[in-house]
Amino acid sequence: MDEFRPRPVANEVSLEGYQIVPGMMFNRATDPSMTIWYGSVAFNSVCFSTLNDCAAIQIMVNTKEKKIIIIPCPSKDKDAILWHKPSQKQKSKKIDCGKFMQPIFKMWELDKELHYRTTGRVVSSGGKVMLLFDFNYPEAWKGLKMVNGIGE
């Protein structure tokens, strides 16, 4: 058996001036993602499976923090948004909502000619599982071309 030999220690460096890069800036195909346009929103299929293929959601927005939460809800709820048919395998679902997105684009100073995508993370509140999307550092897209990786 080989004798354990620790690796030589590298030269000590100062971490002053470095910043941790948020994990949300690295998209992975297995992450839930939300895309917003000037008149619509879309969710990828990972969102559906993460929320147990629920048929309806509620959307909550924090305009000051530029965050959106989606919460599974009964389809008969007065604020329910029918976003998914569990019997169908959908890759994504685009939902028209100009009355919601147009003011958001204005408040968040987003370019209405672009669309923005960010990954979500699972969070919970009061025992309910939900998805949180942070639009502080979204990818900005024009058609199929990424304009930049951190928004405008």
Side-chain angles (χ1 to χ4, degrees), residues 35 37 113-117 138-149 151-152:
T35 304
W37 287 263
E113 300 299 318
L114 303 177
H115 59 275
Y116 299 86
R117 179 173 62 198
E139 296 173 346
W141 292 77
K142 186 164 190 148
L144 298 175
K145 182 180 177 192
M146 187 187 300
V147 175
N148 63 31
E152 287 292 313

Side-chain angles (χ1 to χ4, degrees), residues 45 47-57 72-75 81-93:
S45 63
C47 292
F48 306 140
S49 59
T50 301
L51 296 180
N52 295 321
D53 287 319
C54 65
I57 57 169
C73 72
S75 57
I81 299 161
L82 300 176
W83 77 323
H84 176 58
K85 293 182 181 177
S87 61
Q88 298 175 347
K89 292 292 180 193
Q90 293 172 288
K91 290 187 178 183
S92 66
K93 169 79 177 204

Side-chain angles (χ1 to χ4, degrees), residues 5 8 12-13 17 19 25 30 56 60-61 73 77 84 88-89 96 98 102 105 128 135 150-152:
R5 291 189 194 130
E12 189 70 23
V13 297
Q19 295 178 343
M25 296 181 93
T30 58
M60 296 181 73
V61 62
C73 72
D77 189 281
H84 176 58
Q88 298 175 347
K89 292 292 180 193
D96 292 329
Q102 291 169 9
F105 266 61
K128 280 190 161 188
F135 280 91
I150 58 170
E152 287 292 313

Side-chain angles (χ1 to χ4, degrees), residues 98-130:
K99 289 181 182 180
F100 169 53
M101 275 293 109
Q102 291 169 9
I104 293 293
F105 266 61
K106 186 174 181 176
M107 280 185 272
W108 293 353
E109 299 178 346
L110 300 173
D111 184 338
K112 65 182 179 181
E113 300 299 318
L114 303 177
H115 59 275
Y116 299 86
R117 179 173 62 198
T118 192
T119 56
R121 60 187 174 98
V122 176
V123 295
S124 67
S125 178
K128 280 190 161 188
V129 173
M130 48 194 81

Side-chain angles (χ1 to χ4, degrees), residues 3-14:
E3 182 180 324
F4 173 74
R5 291 189 194 130
R7 292 179 142 200
V9 176
N11 292 336
E12 189 70 23
V13 297
S14 168

